Amino acid sequence: SGCTPSACSLSPSSLSLGPTGCRGAQGRFAYKLLHDLFANYSSALRPVEDTDRVLNVTLQVTLSQIIDMDERNQVLTSYLWVRQAWLDAHLTWDKDAYDGIDSIRIPSSYVWRPDIILYNNADDHFGGSMETNVVLRSDGHIMWDSPAITKSSCKVDVSYFPFDGQQCHLTFGSWTYNGNQIDLHNRLDTGDLTDFVENVEWEVLGMPATRNVITYGCCSEPYPDVTYTLLLRRRASFYIFNLLLPCIMVSFLAPLGFYLPADSGEKVSLGVTVLLALTVFQLLVAESMPPSENIPLIGKYYIATMTMITASTALTIFIMNVHHCGPGAQPVPPWAKWLILHHMARLCCVYEVGESCKSPRQALGGQVGKGDTGGSSESTGEGEAGGCPRGRCLCHHDGLLRNVGYIAGCFRHHRAAQCRTGEWKKVAKVMDRFFMWVFFLMVFLMSVLVLGRAA
């Protein structure tokens, strides 16, 4: 077309104006360069002049997105941009001889590529990077940027779930080339997080990179690798509002079972219902956690709360048995009166419990005494008024006294039985109040302990 490199440099406007000008000439030079470079090139051999020389490969990983963290299977799925750079001694040219072309972009399958793979890959298909182009420069430097969706194994420690943090390792290295053939280095001390898309569940704290040289048992040569440690911290808001707070609120319902009246018949039902609710929450946590020996912190809280509710239900059954002591029950022991009815009743602010056996019953006894006295006097007066001598009406008077004495004895036994029943009911109510405050304190301490361990 009559366009020379000097003409192109003198008239740069022709590059944008002439459709068949210098741009077409540069395109022909690019085709000629590609043909000349790969005429006698083989991508199967390591591109070094001396086979004993080590080829340096630099690696840089950019974390774009955390797709999923499967705690149960301990697999991290992430979207990475992997950049590899090395020097190919067989792919150099004089850019002045090819119209000043300094770099070209060609398919990566044309050139030799290092077999850098993810050592801890957990993908079923073991897929690698995408077949993207490489950037080849005139001095032989090759840069290969390729995106990849990787599934890597990650040891998950759920001891402090849902306030836990995880450390997931991404180890890259050559599969067949040892350290005497390929020397792998990390380009930066950390992974690149500038283009990271925030995850709704995990917060990335950092991604430091370390270079390791390991000698495996299969081979005597050293194998270098670059390990990126992904530091993650779980965002616990979702689990606090959906798992922890309902558990705390349900746990505070358990001590209220002691506050229910014993005659309602719902004390045991409330404890069993709360226990079933916590069992459902425990199953939800167990489904998402790996079956390991490390029990999550929230799981420990559930187990402790369920144990406490089981103990409270058992104590409720015992206290109900005390409350429903029949008239034939034994009197309250003196130590129980001194400890429970005097000291614990004052401590738990229980002043009036059930039916009092003091002032009303004393008044009732006084009325009965007065009635007995009045009845005897009336009968005596009536006998005297009737003009019946005491000696002649003695048989009727003895029968009347026996009947009155029997009625008074039955009444005294009934009043004593009521007094014993009232005392046992008072013992049961004082124990209810005492255990209610004890279990409230236990629930509060367990909640504070869980939040303190989380902090």
Side-chain angles (χ1 to χ4, degrees):
S1 62
C3 181
T4 62
S6 59
C8 293
S9 60
L10 293 175
S11 58
S13 60
S14 63
L15 293 176
S16 58
L17 297 177
T20 59
C22 297
R23 180 180 297 174
Q26 192 175 20
R28 287 195 299 271
F29 277 111
Y31 278 105
K32 183 178 184 302
L33 173 61
L34 183 65
H35 180 269
D36 294 342
L37 286 177
F38 294 97
N40 297 316
Y41 180 82
S42 175
S43 61
L45 298 177
R46 192 166 54 96
V48 290
E49 296 289 349
D50 188 0
T51 56
D52 295 332
R53 182 177 298 177
V54 178
L55 179 64
N56 293 320
V57 178
T58 60
L59 179 69
Q60 175 61 31
V61 172
T62 300
L63 179 63
S64 178
Q65 185 181 0
I66 296 177
I67 299 176
D68 182 39
M69 166 65 89
D70 189 357
E71 292 94 345
R72 190 169 185 83
N73 296 318
Q74 303 189 78
V75 174
L76 171 67
T77 304
S78 55
Y79 179 40
L80 305 176
W81 299 343
V82 182
R83 170 175 292 184
Q84 304 176 45
W86 65 93
L87 177 63
D88 194 324
H90 303 308
L91 296 178
T92 60
W93 72 89
D94 184 9
K95 58 182 179 181
D96 295 331
Y98 293 93
D99 198 14
I101 297 177
D102 183 59
S103 63
I104 57 174
R105 288 161 176 80
I106 56 177
S108 59
S109 58
Y110 285 17
V111 301
W112 176 89
R113 294 171 298 179
D115 55 346
I116 306 297
I117 64 170
L118 181 63
Y119 279 176
N120 56 332
N121 197 320
D123 195 358
D124 297 336
H125 305 286
F126 210 85
S129 304
M130 294 180 60
E131 295 293 333
T132 56
N133 291 343
V134 298
V135 179
L136 176 60
R137 300 191 180 277
S138 59
D139 55 358
H141 281 89
I142 298 178
M143 184 177 296
W144 182 26
D145 289 339
S146 61
I149 297 178
T150 62
K151 290 185 177 182
S152 58
S153 58
C154 178
K155 184 179 180 181
V156 179
D157 184 10
V158 292
S159 300
Y160 293 94
F161 176 85
F163 306 98
D164 57 330
Q166 306 297 334
Q167 294 185 3
C168 296
H169 302 286
L170 300 171
T171 303
F172 294 90
S174 175
W175 189 253
T176 58
Y177 295 102
N178 55 51
N180 299 324
Q181 297 170 330
I182 288 182
D183 193 7
L184 185 62
H185 294 271
N186 49 306
R187 185 179 179 185
L188 299 175
D189 293 334
T190 61
D192 190 4
L193 300 175
T194 54
D195 297 319
F196 176 69
V197 179
E198 292 292 335
N199 189 268
V200 294
E201 184 179 0
W202 296 95
E203 179 184 0
V204 178
L205 303 179
M207 195 177 178
T210 57
R211 179 179 180 272
N212 307 304
V213 179
I214 302 176
T215 301
Y216 297 96
C218 64
C219 315
S220 59
E221 297 84 3
Y223 281 83
D225 63 67
V226 176
T227 300
Y228 291 89
T229 304
L230 189 58
L231 305 178
L232 303 175
R233 183 171 61 190
R234 192 188 302 271
R235 303 180 190 271
S237 302
F238 174 82
Y239 299 97
I240 289 176
F241 286 101
N242 291 278
L243 290 180
L244 190 58
L245 284 183
C247 177
I248 294 176
M249 290 187 291
V250 169
S251 301
F252 275 99
L253 285 178
L256 291 178
F258 292 105
Y259 194 75
L260 279 176
D263 296 330
S264 65
E266 298 293 334
K267 295 171 71 70
V268 179
S269 301
L270 177 62
V272 173
T273 304
V274 172
L275 187 62
L276 291 176
L278 288 178
T279 304
V280 172
F281 284 112
Q282 175 70 16
L283 291 177
L284 291 177
V285 174
E287 287 179 356
S288 60
M289 294 294 102
S292 63
E293 295 182 356
N294 295 329
I295 301 177
L297 183 62
I298 190 172
K300 294 179 181 178
Y301 181 72
Y302 284 163
I303 293 298
T305 306
M306 292 168 66
T307 304
M308 183 197 67
I309 294 174
T310 304
S312 67
T313 307
L315 286 173
T316 300
I317 296 174
F318 171 74
I319 293 173
M320 288 182 64
N321 189 19
V322 173
H323 176 83
H324 291 287
C325 284
Q330 297 293 328
V332 179
W335 65 267
K337 289 184 179 180
W338 178 81
L339 177 63
I340 299 177
L341 298 183
H342 292 82
H343 295 82
M344 290 180 60
R346 294 178 182 177
L347 180 65
C348 300
C349 302
V350 180
Y351 298 107
E352 295 181 359
V353 182
E355 183 181 357
S356 177
C357 57
K358 290 184 178 181
S359 56
R361 290 173 180 170
Q362 288 177 356
L364 185 59
Q367 292 176 3
V368 171
K370 292 178 181 179
D372 292 342
T373 306
S376 60
S377 62
E378 288 176 2
S379 62
T380 305
E382 184 180 355
E384 293 176 353
C388 180
R390 186 175 183 84
R392 295 177 58 183
C393 298
L394 184 60
C395 58
H396 301 285
H397 187 267
D398 292 339
L400 183 60
L401 289 177
R402 284 195 301 267
N403 292 334
V404 171
Y406 175 77
I407 294 174
C410 292
F411 185 76
R412 280 193 298 268
H413 286 298
H414 178 68
R415 187 172 59 183
Q418 284 186 341
C419 186
R420 288 195 301 268
T421 303
E423 287 181 347
W424 283 116
K425 287 184 178 180
K426 184 174 181 180
V427 169
K429 190 166 186 179
V430 171
M431 293 175 64
D432 267 335
R433 294 293 176 85
F434 175 75
F435 285 118
M436 182 187 71
W437 292 115
V438 168
F439 279 88
F440 265 129
L441 182 62
M442 290 175 60
V443 172
F444 177 76
L445 290 179
M446 283 194 301
S447 303
V448 171
L449 181 62
V450 169
L451 297 177
R453 290 284 300 276

PDB file of all heavy atoms in Angstrom, residues 133-156:
ATOM      1  N   ASN A 133      -6.728 -15.284  26.667  1.00  0.00           N
ATOM      2  CA  ASN A 133      -5.518 -14.917  25.938  1.00  0.00           C
ATOM      3  C   ASN A 133      -4.389 -14.551  26.887  1.00  0.00           C
ATOM      4  O   ASN A 133      -4.611 -14.194  28.047  1.00  0.00           O
ATOM      5  CB  ASN A 133      -5.790 -13.733  25.004  1.00  0.00           C
ATOM      6  CG  ASN A 133      -6.688 -14.114  23.857  1.00  0.00           C
ATOM      7  OD1 ASN A 133      -6.868 -15.293  23.551  1.00  0.00           O
ATOM      8  ND2 ASN A 133      -7.274 -13.111  23.207  1.00  0.00           N
ATOM      9  N   VAL A 134      -3.181 -14.616  26.361  1.00  0.00           N
ATOM     10  CA  VAL A 134      -2.003 -14.173  27.080  1.00  0.00           C
ATOM     11  C   VAL A 134      -1.464 -12.930  26.387  1.00  0.00           C
ATOM     12  O   VAL A 134      -1.679 -12.723  25.186  1.00  0.00           O
ATOM     13  CB  VAL A 134      -0.922 -15.266  27.156  1.00  0.00           C
ATOM     14  CG1 VAL A 134      -1.443 -16.478  27.908  1.00  0.00           C
ATOM     15  CG2 VAL A 134      -0.445 -15.657  25.755  1.00  0.00           C
ATOM     16  N   VAL A 135      -0.774 -12.109  27.172  1.00  0.00           N
ATOM     17  CA  VAL A 135      -0.133 -10.904  26.634  1.00  0.00           C
ATOM     18  C   VAL A 135       1.354 -11.215  26.481  1.00  0.00           C
ATOM     19  O   VAL A 135       2.048 -11.472  27.479  1.00  0.00           O
ATOM     20  CB  VAL A 135      -0.344  -9.693  27.557  1.00  0.00           C
ATOM     21  CG1 VAL A 135       0.361  -8.465  26.985  1.00  0.00           C
ATOM     22  CG2 VAL A 135      -1.836  -9.428  27.736  1.00  0.00           C
ATOM     23  N   LEU A 136       1.824 -11.215  25.240  1.00  0.00           N
ATOM     24  CA  LEU A 136       3.222 -11.546  24.932  1.00  0.00           C
ATOM     25  C   LEU A 136       3.940 -10.268  24.535  1.00  0.00           C
ATOM     26  O   LEU A 136       3.509  -9.555  23.612  1.00  0.00           O
ATOM     27  CB  LEU A 136       3.281 -12.574  23.803  1.00  0.00           C
ATOM     28  CG  LEU A 136       4.658 -12.968  23.284  1.00  0.00           C
ATOM     29  CD1 LEU A 136       5.505 -13.577  24.388  1.00  0.00           C
ATOM     30  CD2 LEU A 136       4.528 -13.935  22.111  1.00  0.00           C
ATOM     31  N   ARG A 137       5.049  -9.960  25.211  1.00  0.00           N
ATOM     32  CA  ARG A 137       5.818  -8.757  24.932  1.00  0.00           C
ATOM     33  C   ARG A 137       7.086  -9.118  24.153  1.00  0.00           C
ATOM     34  O   ARG A 137       7.483 -10.286  24.081  1.00  0.00           O
ATOM     35  CB  ARG A 137       6.175  -8.022  26.223  1.00  0.00           C
ATOM     36  CG  ARG A 137       4.945  -7.584  27.006  1.00  0.00           C
ATOM     37  CD  ARG A 137       5.302  -6.631  28.122  1.00  0.00           C
ATOM     38  NE  ARG A 137       4.115  -6.229  28.868  1.00  0.00           N
ATOM     39  CZ  ARG A 137       3.291  -5.252  28.491  1.00  0.00           C
ATOM     40  NH1 ARG A 137       3.564  -4.557  27.380  1.00  0.00           N
ATOM     41  NH2 ARG A 137       2.225  -4.949  29.201  1.00  0.00           N
ATOM     42  N   SER A 138       7.681  -8.081  23.606  1.00  0.00           N
ATOM     43  CA  SER A 138       8.818  -8.302  22.707  1.00  0.00           C
ATOM     44  C   SER A 138      10.031  -8.851  23.447  1.00  0.00           C
ATOM     45  O   SER A 138      10.890  -9.492  22.829  1.00  0.00           O
ATOM     46  CB  SER A 138       9.189  -6.983  22.006  1.00  0.00           C
ATOM     47  OG  SER A 138       9.532  -5.983  22.969  1.00  0.00           O
ATOM     48  N   ASP A 139      10.149  -8.616  24.739  1.00  0.00           N
ATOM     49  CA  ASP A 139      11.283  -9.138  25.480  1.00  0.00           C
ATOM     50  C   ASP A 139      11.059 -10.558  25.985  1.00  0.00           C
ATOM     51  O   ASP A 139      11.893 -11.092  26.715  1.00  0.00           O
ATOM     52  CB  ASP A 139      11.621  -8.221  26.652  1.00  0.00           C
ATOM     53  CG  ASP A 139      10.419  -7.988  27.564  1.00  0.00           C
ATOM     54  OD1 ASP A 139       9.322  -8.510  27.262  1.00  0.00           O
ATOM     55  OD2 ASP A 139      10.589  -7.280  28.581  1.00  0.00           O
ATOM     56  N   GLY A 140       9.929 -11.157  25.593  1.00  0.00           N
ATOM     57  CA  GLY A 140       9.653 -12.540  25.972  1.00  0.00           C
ATOM     58  C   GLY A 140       8.826 -12.702  27.224  1.00  0.00           C
ATOM     59  O   GLY A 140       8.517 -13.836  27.609  1.00  0.00           O
ATOM     60  N   HIS A 141       8.470 -11.628  27.892  1.00  0.00           N
ATOM     61  CA  HIS A 141       7.646 -11.727  29.090  1.00  0.00           C
ATOM     62  C   HIS A 141       6.191 -12.029  28.714  1.00  0.00           C
ATOM     63  O   HIS A 141       5.637 -11.390  27.807  1.00  0.00           O
ATOM     64  CB  HIS A 141       7.705 -10.428  29.905  1.00  0.00           C
ATOM     65  CG  HIS A 141       8.955 -10.316  30.721  1.00  0.00           C
ATOM     66  ND1 HIS A 141      10.113  -9.737  30.225  1.00  0.00           N
ATOM     67  CD2 HIS A 141       9.253 -10.721  31.991  1.00  0.00           C
ATOM     68  CE1 HIS A 141      11.056  -9.765  31.159  1.00  0.00           C
ATOM     69  NE2 HIS A 141      10.566 -10.372  32.234  1.00  0.00           N
ATOM     70  N   ILE A 142       5.630 -12.993  29.410  1.00  0.00           N
ATOM     71  CA  ILE A 142       4.249 -13.416  29.168  1.00  0.00           C
ATOM     72  C   ILE A 142       3.450 -13.179  30.444  1.00  0.00           C
ATOM     73  O   ILE A 142       3.887 -13.536  31.541  1.00  0.00           O
ATOM     74  CB  ILE A 142       4.178 -14.903  28.763  1.00  0.00           C
ATOM     75  CG1 ILE A 142       4.932 -15.136  27.449  1.00  0.00           C
ATOM     76  CG2 ILE A 142       2.727 -15.363  28.632  1.00  0.00           C
ATOM     77  CD1 ILE A 142       4.942 -16.585  27.004  1.00  0.00           C
ATOM     78  N   MET A 143       2.270 -12.586  30.262  1.00  0.00           N
ATOM     79  CA  MET A 143       1.355 -12.376  31.384  1.00  0.00           C
ATOM     80  C   MET A 143       0.028 -13.022  31.035  1.00  0.00           C
ATOM     81  O   MET A 143      -0.544 -12.738  29.975  1.00  0.00           O
ATOM     82  CB  MET A 143       1.168 -10.882  31.667  1.00  0.00           C
ATOM     83  CG  MET A 143       0.290 -10.593  32.882  1.00  0.00           C
ATOM     84  SD  MET A 143       0.168  -8.826  33.226  1.00  0.00           S
ATOM     85  CE  MET A 143       1.877  -8.454  33.613  1.00  0.00           C
ATOM     86  N   TRP A 144      -0.406 -13.881  31.938  1.00  0.00           N
ATOM     87  CA  TRP A 144      -1.637 -14.639  31.699  1.00  0.00           C
ATOM     88  C   TRP A 144      -2.615 -14.355  32.836  1.00  0.00           C
ATOM     89  O   TRP A 144      -2.395 -14.755  33.971  1.00  0.00           O
ATOM     90  CB  TRP A 144      -1.317 -16.129  31.614  1.00  0.00           C
ATOM     91  CG  TRP A 144      -2.515 -16.998  31.319  1.00  0.00           C
ATOM     92  CD1 TRP A 144      -3.645 -16.632  30.674  1.00  0.00           C
ATOM     93  CD2 TRP A 144      -2.670 -18.374  31.669  1.00  0.00           C
ATOM     94  NE1 TRP A 144      -4.519 -17.679  30.586  1.00  0.00           N
ATOM     95  CE2 TRP A 144      -3.942 -18.772  31.177  1.00  0.00           C
ATOM     96  CE3 TRP A 144      -1.866 -19.304  32.325  1.00  0.00           C
ATOM     97  CZ2 TRP A 144      -4.418 -20.069  31.346  1.00  0.00           C
ATOM     98  CZ3 TRP A 144      -2.343 -20.588  32.477  1.00  0.00           C
ATOM     99  CH2 TRP A 144      -3.610 -20.978  31.996  1.00  0.00           C
ATOM    100  N   ASP A 145      -3.697 -13.634  32.526  1.00  0.00           N
ATOM    101  CA  ASP A 145      -4.769 -13.352  33.474  1.00  0.00           C
ATOM    102  C   ASP A 145      -5.956 -14.241  33.136  1.00  0.00           C
ATOM    103  O   ASP A 145      -6.464 -14.200  32.004  1.00  0.00           O
ATOM    104  CB  ASP A 145      -5.198 -11.883  33.408  1.00  0.00           C
ATOM    105  CG  ASP A 145      -4.141 -10.968  33.985  1.00  0.00           C
ATOM    106  OD1 ASP A 145      -3.309 -11.460  34.757  1.00  0.00           O
ATOM    107  OD2 ASP A 145      -4.144  -9.768  33.655  1.00  0.00           O
ATOM    108  N   SER A 146      -6.401 -15.009  34.119  1.00  0.00           N
ATOM    109  CA  SER A 146      -7.519 -15.921  33.872  1.00  0.00           C
ATOM    110  C   SER A 146      -8.431 -15.956  35.094  1.00  0.00           C
ATOM    111  O   SER A 146      -7.945 -16.090  36.223  1.00  0.00           O
ATOM    112  CB  SER A 146      -7.014 -17.328  33.559  1.00  0.00           C
ATOM    113  OG  SER A 146      -6.270 -17.850  34.652  1.00  0.00           O
ATOM    114  N   PRO A 147      -9.731 -15.819  34.887  1.00  0.00           N
ATOM    115  CA  PRO A 147     -10.665 -15.965  36.020  1.00  0.00           C
ATOM    116  C   PRO A 147     -10.959 -17.445  36.278  1.00  0.00           C
ATOM    117  O   PRO A 147     -10.895 -18.281  35.369  1.00  0.00           O
ATOM    118  CB  PRO A 147     -11.915 -15.225  35.535  1.00  0.00           C
ATOM    119  CG  PRO A 147     -11.867 -15.361  34.044  1.00  0.00           C
ATOM    120  CD  PRO A 147     -10.412 -15.402  33.658  1.00  0.00           C
ATOM    121  N   ALA A 148     -11.281 -17.752  37.506  1.00  0.00           N
ATOM    122  CA  ALA A 148     -11.544 -19.146  37.868  1.00  0.00           C
ATOM    123  C   ALA A 148     -12.490 -19.186  39.051  1.00  0.00           C
ATOM    124  O   ALA A 148     -12.359 -18.391  39.991  1.00  0.00           O
ATOM    125  CB  ALA A 148     -10.244 -19.877  38.206  1.00  0.00           C
ATOM    126  N   ILE A 149     -13.436 -20.091  38.998  1.00  0.00           N
ATOM    127  CA  ILE A 149     -14.319 -20.389  40.130  1.00  0.00           C
ATOM    128  C   ILE A 149     -13.787 -21.654  40.791  1.00  0.00           C
ATOM    129  O   ILE A 149     -13.808 -22.732  40.188  1.00  0.00           O
ATOM    130  CB  ILE A 149     -15.778 -20.562  39.689  1.00  0.00           C
ATOM    131  CG1 ILE A 149     -16.312 -19.252  39.099  1.00  0.00           C
ATOM    132  CG2 ILE A 149     -16.643 -20.999  40.865  1.00  0.00           C
ATOM    133  CD1 ILE A 149     -17.741 -19.347  38.603  1.00  0.00           C
ATOM    134  N   THR A 150     -13.259 -21.506  41.987  1.00  0.00           N
ATOM    135  CA  THR A 150     -12.573 -22.610  42.653  1.00  0.00           C
ATOM    136  C   THR A 150     -13.381 -23.092  43.844  1.00  0.00           C
ATOM    137  O   THR A 150     -14.065 -22.310  44.520  1.00  0.00           O
ATOM    138  CB  THR A 150     -11.181 -22.176  43.125  1.00  0.00           C
ATOM    139  OG1 THR A 150     -11.316 -21.106  44.081  1.00  0.00           O
ATOM    140  CG2 THR A 150     -10.341 -21.707  41.955  1.00  0.00           C
ATOM    141  N   LYS A 151     -13.280 -24.384  44.092  1.00  0.00           N
ATOM    142  CA  LYS A 151     -13.823 -25.011  45.298  1.00  0.00           C
ATOM    143  C   LYS A 151     -12.655 -25.603  46.058  1.00  0.00           C
ATOM    144  O   LYS A 151     -12.044 -26.566  45.601  1.00  0.00           O
ATOM    145  CB  LYS A 151     -14.839 -26.097  44.955  1.00  0.00           C
ATOM    146  CG  LYS A 151     -16.141 -25.570  44.376  1.00  0.00           C
ATOM    147  CD  LYS A 151     -17.140 -26.695  44.177  1.00  0.00           C
ATOM    148  CE  LYS A 151     -18.468 -26.171  43.676  1.00  0.00           C
ATOM    149  NZ  LYS A 151     -19.465 -27.267  43.519  1.00  0.00           N
ATOM    150  N   SER A 152     -12.347 -24.997  47.179  1.00  0.00           N
ATOM    151  CA  SER A 152     -11.190 -25.423  47.954  1.00  0.00           C
ATOM    152  C   SER A 152     -11.646 -25.974  49.300  1.00  0.00           C
ATOM    153  O   SER A 152     -12.634 -25.515  49.883  1.00  0.00           O
ATOM    154  CB  SER A 152     -10.228 -24.251  48.179  1.00  0.00           C
ATOM    155  OG  SER A 152     -10.894 -23.191  48.836  1.00  0.00           O
ATOM    156  N   SER A 153     -10.900 -26.966  49.769  1.00  0.00           N
ATOM    157  CA  SER A 153     -11.191 -27.522  51.088  1.00  0.00           C
ATOM    158  C   SER A 153     -10.731 -26.547  52.164  1.00  0.00           C
ATOM    159  O   SER A 153      -9.664 -25.938  52.062  1.00  0.00           O
ATOM    160  CB  SER A 153     -10.491 -28.869  51.267  1.00  0.00           C
ATOM    161  OG  SER A 153      -9.091 -28.730  51.104  1.00  0.00           O
ATOM    162  N   CYS A 154     -11.552 -26.388  53.184  1.00  0.00           N
ATOM    163  CA  CYS A 154     -11.272 -25.444  54.254  1.00  0.00           C
ATOM    164  C   CYS A 154     -11.656 -26.096  55.572  1.00  0.00           C
ATOM    165  O   CYS A 154     -12.802 -26.532  55.748  1.00  0.00           O
ATOM    166  CB  CYS A 154     -12.053 -24.143  54.049  1.00  0.00           C
ATOM    167  SG  CYS A 154     -11.834 -22.909  55.345  1.00  0.00           S
ATOM    168  N   LYS A 155     -10.709 -26.180  56.478  1.00  0.00           N
ATOM    169  CA  LYS A 155     -10.983 -26.752  57.790  1.00  0.00           C
ATOM    170  C   LYS A 155     -11.792 -25.750  58.601  1.00  0.00           C
ATOM    171  O   LYS A 155     -11.314 -24.689  58.967  1.00  0.00           O
ATOM    172  CB  LYS A 155      -9.677 -27.098  58.510  1.00  0.00           C
ATOM    173  CG  LYS A 155      -9.892 -27.793  59.841  1.00  0.00           C
ATOM    174  CD  LYS A 155      -8.575 -28.143  60.508  1.00  0.00           C
ATOM    175  CE  LYS A 155      -8.812 -28.839  61.841  1.00  0.00           C
ATOM    176  NZ  LYS A 155      -7.523 -29.172  62.532  1.00  0.00           N
ATOM    177  N   VAL A 156     -13.032 -26.117  58.870  1.00  0.00           N
ATOM    178  CA  VAL A 156     -13.966 -25.219  59.544  1.00  0.00           C
ATOM    179  C   VAL A 156     -14.003 -25.546  61.027  1.00  0.00           C
ATOM    180  O   VAL A 156     -14.206 -26.702  61.417  1.00  0.00           O
ATOM    181  CB  VAL A 156     -15.379 -25.345  58.929  1.00  0.00           C
ATOM    182  CG1 VAL A 156     -16.361 -24.430  59.653  1.00  0.00           C
ATOM    183  CG2 VAL A 156     -15.331 -25.007  57.451  1.00  0.00           C
TER     184      VAL A 156
END
